[in-house]
Amino acid sequence: MVVLSFISGNLKGEPCITVEIKPKCGFLPFSRFITEENAVKRNVVRFRMHQALKLHNQEISEYSEYNPLDLFSGSREGIQKAIEALYATPQNNFRVFLNGSIVFGGLGGGTNSTTVQVGEAFEDILKNVIQADNGQRTTSFLQLVAETIYISGALEQLLEVQKLDTYDIEGAIHAYYNIISQPCMVCRELCKDKLSCRYTSLHSIPLDQSLKIVKDYLIAATAKDCSLMISFRPKEDGRLPSHNTVYLGSTNQAFEYKVYFIDLDLKPLKKMEAYYELDKKIVSCYSQMMKTEHETDKAVTINSNGSVRDQRYALEDGLFTEGCTGKCK
Ligand SMILES: O=P(O)(O)O[C@@H]1[C@@H](OP(=O)(O)O)[C@H](OP(=O)(O)O)[C@H](O)[C@H](OP(=O)(O)O)[C@H]1OP(=O)(O)O
Ligand SMILES: Nc1ncnc2c1ncn2[C@@H]1O[C@H](COP(=O)(O)OP(=O)(O)OP(=O)(O)O)[C@@H](O)[C@H]1O
């Protein structure tokens, strides 16, 4: 695959390296419409919970080390930690292109953890870009990416858009049923007693308010799924200083950079029900997993003899065969 960037047409043959990051949702939801049953959503980031479901569905083979809250933390340390985690477990959240061709990370579903061999190959690829000794280039490159994200402020802007989701899907879904003028399927399931139903008020708001809630939700959903592209080229000595220059202290190099977002098509209204269902599945699978882990811990405490390990595996099997059946899928 060839990726276009602002430097792809550069005539002087200087290397252009582009990083693609899919940051996903960078905040914990705060909507009052989140039910007590789903309160875990306020404390555990969606990306982390979704990993449990993806693992269960064999879409991934191991957990990502990445935590979006680090990337969106606004601190140099947090961003650096997130970039290192993305490098270690890129999945479909981190890719690198050199002169338009992919050199790190996978297309489509993404890749497994970065192995020593993959790391060595990448270190070698960086030799025309990062002027450091063998073994030092990847570290410097990841510093460059983190520093650029920090100084560009691009993720602060993205987070603002993501936070247009103030109702959470648990609130926005009711506004959706108002818009399509259909009986609310969620109230039918959750509100046995209409008088005490916490969502009744959402069904008596004006149509333009429902439209705004759902529009903001879909804009936020788009911002939670878009990708950030950052292109670099080494800055030639003597070229005029530009605003978009980042300095890499560890190699004493300057780079011109450009940051832009891709995949910004607005998510369609018809996905609202699917969003509601997926949200339920993610919380359910994660909660099941936590419950099983808790039980495992208890079992380990009680049986501190040679059979501990076997018991742990038995419980994990329970999670992925019985525990999640019908709930996680
Ligand atoms: O629902 P999510 O959070 O899993 O996001 C979907 C992405 O999955 P991810 O978890 O990032 O691997 C999914 O990514 P992949 O195709 O799995 O790489 C798509 O981006 C999907 O958007 P669309 O339906 O193609 O417009 C994304 O769907 P939307 O929810 O953004 O509509
Ligand atoms: N403007 C761009 N500049 C550079 N690379 C791009 C650009 N747009 C897309 N790409 C590359 O193409 C890949 C697919 O792009 P994009 O996700 O927009 O396609 P899509 O068909 O909408 O896929 P999906 O439905 O899975 O989101 C991106 O992951 C990125 O690597």
Side-chain angles (χ1 to χ4, degrees), residues 22 24 46 50 54 92 108 225 267 271 275 278:
K22 192 182 198 187
K24 302 301 288 186
R46 156 78 167 231
H50 201 171
K54 287 183 175 186
N92 63 350
D225 192 48
K267 299 291 173 182
K271 284 192 95 172
Y275 287 148
L278 179 62

Side-chain angles (χ1 to χ4, degrees), residues 296 299-315:
T296 309
V300 167
T301 314
I302 296 163
N303 294 289
S304 53
N305 56 36
S307 67
V308 163
R309 194 173 161 77
D310 290 339
Q311 181 136 2
R312 183 180 289 264
Y313 281 124
L315 283 162

Side-chain angles (χ1 to χ4, degrees), residues 22-79:
K22 192 182 198 187
K24 302 301 288 186
C25 182
F27 71 97
L28 292 168
F30 39 78
S31 165
R32 66 183 185 283
F33 295 108
I34 295 173
T35 58
E36 275 318 302
E37 202 191 348
N38 296 337
V40 65
K41 282 163 59 174
R42 299 178 201 275
N43 301 313
V44 183
V45 71
R46 156 78 167 231
F47 180 82
R48 168 76 190 161
M49 288 196 286
H50 201 171
Q51 289 277 304
L53 181 63
K54 287 183 175 186
L55 200 59
H56 169 72
N57 289 343
Q58 297 177 347
E59 290 167 44
I60 54 171
S61 54
E62 55 213 310
Y63 278 109
S64 171
E65 292 174 24
Y66 166 61
N67 181 347
L69 298 184
D70 291 328
L71 190 68
F72 285 91
S73 65
S75 79
R76 276 199 164 90
E77 297 71 28
I79 296 170

